[in-house]
Amino acid sequence: MMLQEYQALLPHLDHDSDAARACSEHIEKLLNLKSSLMKEAGSLPDEREKDFSYVA
């Protein structure tokens, strides 16, 4: 998963570098997207939720 890759990369970057800031921003955006997708999937009826499980 892309989120895990960013999280693994971040500790190896200089904390004040542009790369670390970009990586942190991407992590934040991916976490927000994941949260939104989980909320959306959770609001679906059970028979429809399984249809979208591959998207997240």
Side-chain angles (χ1 to χ4, degrees):
M1 178 194 286
M2 187 179 288
L3 180 57
Q4 292 169 334
E5 295 296 327
Y6 276 121
Q7 290 171 327
L9 174 64
L10 189 57
H12 301 284
L13 300 174
D14 175 12
H15 179 70
D16 296 323
S17 70
D18 288 339
R21 281 190 287 278
C23 189
S24 293
E25 288 174 8
H26 287 171
I27 289 171
E28 184 178 333
K29 288 178 182 180
L30 288 169
L31 287 171
N32 288 336
L33 179 59
K34 179 181 177 183
S35 176
S36 295
L37 287 171
M38 295 298 287
K39 286 178 187 175
E40 185 71 25
S43 69
L44 295 172
D46 288 339
E47 64 274 0
R48 291 289 322 270
E49 188 174 337
K50 65 179 168 47
D51 294 337
F52 295 99
S53 62
Y54 66 91
V55 175

